[in-house]
Amino acid sequence: MSTLPPAASSGSSPLLADLLQQQFDPASHEANNQQLYRLLRDAMLQEQLPPGLRLPSSRQLASELGVARNTVIHVYERLAAEGYVSAGVGQGTFVLDTRPDRLVGHDTAQPAAAPPALAAISGRGQALVAQAGAAERQWGAFMPGVPEVRTFPARIWMRLQNRQWRKPQPDLLTYAVGPGLPALRQQLADYLRSSRGVRCAPEQIIVTNGTHAAMQLVSLLLADSGDAAWVEDPGYWGVHSVWRSAGLNTLPVAVDEQGLKLDEGMRQGVPRLIYVSPSHQYPLGAVMSLARRRRLLAYARRHNCWIVEDDYDSEFRYGRPPLPSLQGLDAHGRVIYLATFSKVIYPGLRLAYMVVPEALVESFQTGLSELYRGGQYLTQAVLADFIAEGHFVAHIRRMRQLYARRRQALLTAIRQHFGERLPVHDGAAGLHLVLGLPQGSNDQALCEAAMAAGILTRPLSQYYRGPQPQPGLLLGYAHVDEADIARHFATLARVIRHGCGL
């Protein structure tokens, strides 16, 4: 609690007059009452106006500053309400002593602790920051994982959105406690059954604010701190970040041209969770073979593991139709299917969803409501209309054709500069490809040199957690105009030749 001054202190006017003469500016854009309050408050906190000092009367201070008396009265009342001064009719206004070492009940027997470093964070936080994979810049050739957003049918979206806003339903604007808008979950169930071979009912779909939120919910509901989780190596950095922050022990498992190498994972012991991207392995592009898919499902059933299938960009395959999902082969409810709208709509939408086995539906619905409260129901309503009216499938079809042309332009540019000397990994799908580099190349240094030349790319080596990372560059082509790809790659090729001695 604050303490009253032991006695009235004289000489307040000179102290306050000097302070205000130097700093109070009646011509400032800041309102007079806000400016006076700020100056007095800061002076008290810094003890330029010491505890016990008597402030001049409101009439006197208003006259000295040339402001309305009500302005000073308002400031004094605010300072008194916040505990900086004591004031009473006929008693004067005094600066209170609020220093921690003078408060009643302060433990003077214990020495004051040294002030913590401003950047000090927890051990878990340090590990998260040290292994962070998010890039500061997200737009420009050839940043991977970025879709083309300039061709999004914004007018159609705006029309559907305006329709919802003309007479918005209260349940779309209030707190959301369910797993997603029923209309959207119905549309997604129909779409997934027909396009991805997912076996599900609308009740099994859980809508989340992004894939990371879905992965965190999976880790919290299906695993305990210290449990092991297999993660593809190289693989998506976000899985390690989210699951390690939840206390899981993520174990890198190598991939080859058929996907996750199950035998290598088995040598590390039985996991609780297994993360895979079987339709288009991130980042190398491998497609998991049918034999390996069936073996993985059998292993998960036998050892009571949960498989997390990340189907992040399977809509975009070039030359052949998308492969059915791993979840569609699961006859025993061991797969949690994840998908996102970030690649097929636009990243700023921040909506993803998962399909959970029937046995987990109630737990996941409750967990989502308890931890995240769901949300964005009005946006979900717009998205449901967007899908129901056929705009979603039409947009995917247009983007698939556009991305195919841009991918081919990039492949042509690579061949023109390097022929067959550098390997290309892409699986004929997705929004990026990986350009392999000679052994011993420093792909991180190449990325820095490329950025200095105006080109954005990501080093393949940073996607490895196991030993012997392979060097390479992730090249996103989806958002780069076809006419600009050759010019931008020519710049990158100069950087590669200089850095690799080619």
Side-chain angles (χ1 to χ4, degrees):
M1 57 180 291
S2 56
T3 58
L4 292 172
S9 173
S10 61
S12 65
S13 296
L15 278 172
L16 198 54
D18 290 344
L19 170 71
L20 297 179
Q21 185 176 12
Q22 296 174 23
Q23 301 185 38
F24 186 80
D25 180 11
S28 171
H29 293 297
E30 187 178 15
N32 285 339
N33 64 335
Q34 180 61 30
Q35 185 182 181
L36 180 59
Y37 163 79
R38 176 176 54 79
L39 292 174
L40 292 176
R41 179 203 62 193
D42 292 350
M44 294 175 196
L45 290 174
Q46 298 165 14
E47 297 196 18
Q48 292 174 287
L49 299 180
L53 183 73
R54 181 172 185 169
L55 302 183
S57 68
S58 58
R59 189 184 305 277
Q60 178 185 349
L61 185 56
S63 176
E64 292 176 357
L65 296 179
V67 299
R69 184 186 177 196
N70 282 342
T71 297
V72 181
I73 293 175
H74 171 77
V75 171
Y76 278 6
E77 289 177 347
R78 182 176 176 183
L79 290 170
E82 295 179 8
Y84 290 99
V85 301
S86 66
V89 178
Q91 298 178 357
T93 302
F94 296 88
V95 178
L96 289 173
D97 188 353
T98 59
R99 293 174 295 185
D101 58 346
R102 298 286 298 275
L103 297 180
V104 175
H106 176 73
D107 187 0
T108 57
Q110 296 293 329
L118 293 178
I121 57 177
S122 68
R124 178 171 53 188
Q126 291 175 15
L128 176 66
V129 171
Q131 297 181 13
E136 294 182 1
R137 296 175 60 185
Q138 293 290 328
W139 186 265
F142 293 99
M143 189 65 192
V146 180
E148 177 59 87
V149 297
R150 294 167 295 184
T151 58
F152 180 72
R155 290 186 178 180
I156 293 175
W157 187 269
M158 185 178 298
R159 174 175 60 80
L160 298 176
Q161 185 170 261
N162 289 341
R163 188 168 69 191
Q164 291 291 339
W165 273 116
R166 287 192 193 101
K167 193 175 181 180
Q169 299 299 315
D171 57 349
L172 299 182
L173 302 180
T174 189
Y175 289 107
V177 294
L181 189 70
L184 176 59
R185 295 161 69 206
Q186 180 66 62
Q187 291 298 326
L188 288 175
D190 294 342
Y191 168 75
L192 291 172
R193 285 194 295 263
S194 63
S195 68
R196 299 298 300 121
V198 173
R199 300 191 293 185
C200 69
E203 294 74 23
Q204 293 174 251
I205 296 176
I206 310 292
V207 181
T208 64
N209 294 330
T211 300
H212 282 202
M215 290 193 297
Q216 186 176 47
L217 190 60
V218 167
S219 66
L220 294 175
L221 293 181
L222 299 183
D224 291 313
S225 181
D227 281 350
W230 291 355
V231 178
E232 296 169 329
D233 192 51
Y236 179 45
W237 55 265
V239 186
H240 293 279
S241 297
V242 173
W243 283 359
R244 285 185 176 179
S245 68
L248 273 61
N249 178 25
T250 58
L251 304 174
V253 180
V255 299
D256 60 17
E257 66 279 359
Q258 296 188 55
L260 187 82
K261 298 173 70 173
L262 186 58
D263 289 338
E264 182 172 309
M266 292 167 61
R267 287 194 288 269
Q268 302 189 60
V270 176
R272 182 62 172 166
L273 301 177
I274 302 173
Y275 171 89
V276 289
S277 48
S279 296
H280 184 223
Q281 197 278 327
Y282 189 83
L284 293 179
V287 177
M288 184 178 288
S289 66
L290 176 60
R292 197 166 293 184
R293 291 179 183 222
R294 297 186 65 182
R295 190 178 176 206
L296 178 62
L297 289 169
Y299 178 88
R301 180 192 179 194
R302 185 166 60 252
H303 295 283
N304 199 31
C305 310
W306 298 103
I307 300 172
V308 178
E309 176 185 8
D310 191 353
D311 203 22
Y312 63 99
D313 67 357
S314 62
E315 288 85 358
F316 304 118
R317 295 200 68 83
Y318 316 113
R320 60 178 179 177
L323 295 178
S325 66
L326 175 67
Q327 192 267 4
L329 296 173
D330 179 21
H332 302 285
R334 305 311 305 175
V335 177
I336 293 92
Y337 175 92
L338 305 184
T340 177
F341 291 106
S342 293
K343 303 297 187 288
V344 293
I345 301 292
Y346 57 88
L349 191 65
R350 302 310 304 144
L351 281 179
Y353 58 94
M354 53 184 162
V355 178
V356 302
E358 292 182 10
L360 300 178
V361 166
E362 185 175 349
S363 296
F364 270 77
Q365 290 182 356
T366 302
L368 179 76
S369 298
E370 184 69 16
L371 294 176
Y372 306 109
R373 299 300 296 265
Q376 301 192 67
Y377 267 25
L378 193 138
T379 300
Q380 291 185 35
V382 176
L383 182 54
D385 291 343
F386 190 75
I387 298 173
E389 295 184 8
H391 307 300
F392 181 66
V393 172
H395 178 62
I396 290 174
R397 188 181 303 115
R398 288 192 300 269
M399 291 298 98
R400 186 184 298 129
Q401 295 170 354
L402 178 65
Y403 295 162
R405 294 194 299 269
R406 293 178 177 181
R407 169 182 172 269
Q408 187 57 53
L410 180 55
L411 290 172
T412 299
I414 292 173
R415 283 196 295 268
Q416 288 176 346
H417 285 274
F418 298 109
E420 304 297 328
R421 287 179 292 172
L422 298 179
V424 174
H425 312 275
D426 77 329
L431 311 181
H432 79 278
L433 57 78
V434 174
L435 180 63
L437 297 173
Q439 287 294 334
S441 300
N442 187 338
D443 55 5
Q444 296 189 40
L446 284 176
C447 287
E448 293 173 2
M451 182 179 293
I455 301 297
L456 301 178
T457 180
R458 298 293 298 271
L460 176 63
S461 62
Q462 287 194 341
Y463 291 81
Y464 285 85
R465 290 296 186 272
Q468 299 179 335
Q470 299 299 307
L473 299 176
L474 275 70
L475 305 179
Y477 49 79
H479 63 296
V480 188
D481 288 333
E482 187 178 346
D484 296 331
I485 286 178
R487 174 172 56 88
H488 288 313
F489 189 78
T491 300
L492 178 60
R494 288 194 293 271
V495 174
I496 295 173
R497 282 194 290 266
H498 182 267
C500 298
L502 297 174

